[in-house]
Amino acid sequence: MTARRGAEAPLLEAEGLALQVGGRWLCCEFSLTLAAGECLALLGPNGAGKTTLLHTLAGLREPTAGRVRIGGRPYAAWPAPEAARFRGLLAQQQPDHFAASVLETVLIGRHPHLGRWGWEGAEDERIARDALAAVGLAGFAQRDVLTLSGGERQRVAIAALLVQAPRLYLLDEPLNHLDLHHQIATLDMFRRLVREDAGGPGRGVVMVLHDIDLAARYADHVILLDGRGGVRAGERDSVLRPDLLSHAFGHPLRRYEVDGRVTFIPD
Ligand SMILES: Nc1ncnc2c1ncn2[C@@H]1O[C@H](COP(=O)(O)OP(=O)(O)OP(=O)(O)O)[C@@H](O)[C@H]1O
């Protein structure tokens, strides 16, 4: 995992990271580096610690051991608004306690750029409308978010992250509530964002997934938590092995290749 530009610090570094919650080890020490243009998938069974790890990588909680850096600096060295422009988190649960239009909800993602709540006007609205179009919700701007379906709300949350336009996207189960078409469209969109950022600052994605086949298709690197404190982190094919996956998920899996695509089928 080498940085795309020689002199530039990696987007994300975790060194000797270990996490313990409520007296239970979620992962023992491991290290990883994510460079611009790369995509990392976090996999593991329910309760293994994927969200906890993602929040640690987002700087929302301290690791039990080790350190996290984004752009070469620990979170403590980042002024909050700068960190908010550098990394953005798509939360697993979307808040449902406020009523607002879809457009207003998406515009919340502009907050780190404006330094306050609200927006400047036409330019921000254009950015928000472009993001809504990118997630297939062009006609939804004036709808009340509370009237949306689960998949539509998930795509509104993704649009809000798009207008935030961080360099490091941290996605907790981005495919929640999405049908097959929108799952593929969403992962294609994030892959384009990180791969085709020619001349841009360089972006990367870390995403919690439950679908091993989609991780095999979209991730360059994988972290696999086994739910018992064990962790494997590395290049996709060194981690997505039937023995490691079967151990982690407690169910035997076989690996097949169909038309050049890798798939894991439970016995
Ligand atoms: N404050 C806490 N005290 C005790 N245990 C906690 C606390 N917070 C989280 N946990 C536990 O830590 C474990 C990891 O939770 P986490 O949400 O990170 O798992 P996950 O891999 O994202 O799971 P899922 O796939 O179900 O979303 C869970 O067993 C959870 O119950």
Side-chain angles (χ1 to χ4, degrees), residues 131 133-136 155 158-159 162 183-195 205 218:
V135 298
R155 285 186 280 142
I158 291 170
L162 293 180
Q183 289 184 26
I184 300 295
T186 297
L187 294 181
D188 279 344
M189 180 184 70
F190 279 110
R191 179 157 67 183
R192 272 198 311 277
L193 269 175
V194 301
R195 293 267 163 85
V205 172
Y218 287 95

Side-chain angles (χ1 to χ4, degrees), residues 58-111:
L60 302 181
R61 57 181 299 149
E62 287 294 319
T64 310
R67 59 183 188 165
V68 175
R69 290 169 172 265
I70 55 168
R73 286 186 276 163
Y75 276 97
W78 285 81
E82 260 192 64
R85 285 192 290 272
F86 193 95
R87 63 91 174 85
L89 175 71
L90 179 75
Q92 190 176 5
Q93 312 277 354
Q94 304 312 326
D96 59 2
H97 52 271
F98 64 91
S101 73
V102 164
L103 185 65
E104 287 167 326
T105 305
V106 172
L107 280 163
I108 290 171
R110 293 293 294 156
H111 175 239

Side-chain angles (χ1 to χ4, degrees), residues 21-22 24 26 44-53 92 173 210:
V21 171
R24 176 183 148 221
L26 300 179
N46 287 146
K50 301 177 295 297
T51 294
T52 307
L53 174 55
Q92 190 176 5
E173 301 196 22
H210 280 293

Side-chain angles (χ1 to χ4, degrees), residues 223-248:
I223 296 176
L224 175 63
L225 304 178
D226 73 2
R228 296 176 286 272
V231 55
R232 292 281 185 144
E235 302 286 332
R236 175 191 56 219
D237 293 337
S238 73
V239 178
L240 294 186
R241 290 180 4 205
D243 57 332
L244 299 178
L245 291 166
S246 300
H247 165 78

Side-chain angles (χ1 to χ4, degrees), residues 110-230:
R110 293 293 294 156
H111 175 239
H113 297 274
L114 299 171
R116 59 178 175 76
W117 299 107
W119 49 91
E120 295 297 340
E123 175 64 1
D124 291 302
E125 186 170 328
R126 184 192 62 74
I127 291 169
R129 287 185 184 275
D130 285 351
L132 281 172
V135 298
L137 292 176
F140 284 65
Q142 299 311 324
R143 283 276 298 276
D144 181 333
V145 281
L146 296 181
T147 67
L148 300 182
S149 75
E152 290 163 352
R153 279 173 82 161
Q154 180 74 357
R155 285 186 280 142
V156 168
I158 291 170
L161 188 64
L162 293 180
V163 306
Q164 185 181 341
R167 292 188 55 194
L168 178 62
Y169 294 92
L170 301 164
L171 313 176
D172 200 348
E173 301 196 22
L175 309 183
N176 262 352
H177 305 292
L178 298 188
D179 61 39
L180 183 63
H181 166 73
H182 287 107
Q183 289 184 26
I184 300 295
T186 297
L187 294 181
D188 279 344
M189 180 184 70
F190 279 110
R191 179 157 67 183
R192 272 198 311 277
L193 269 175
V194 301
R195 293 267 163 85
E196 297 173 6
D197 189 27
R203 302 183 195 279
V205 172
V206 179
M207 55 187 180
V208 174
L209 292 180
H210 280 293
D211 189 317
I212 302 167
D213 293 352
L214 290 178
R217 183 163 162 177
Y218 287 95
D220 303 296
H221 310 287
V222 174
I223 296 176
L224 175 63
L225 304 178
D226 73 2
R228 296 176 286 272

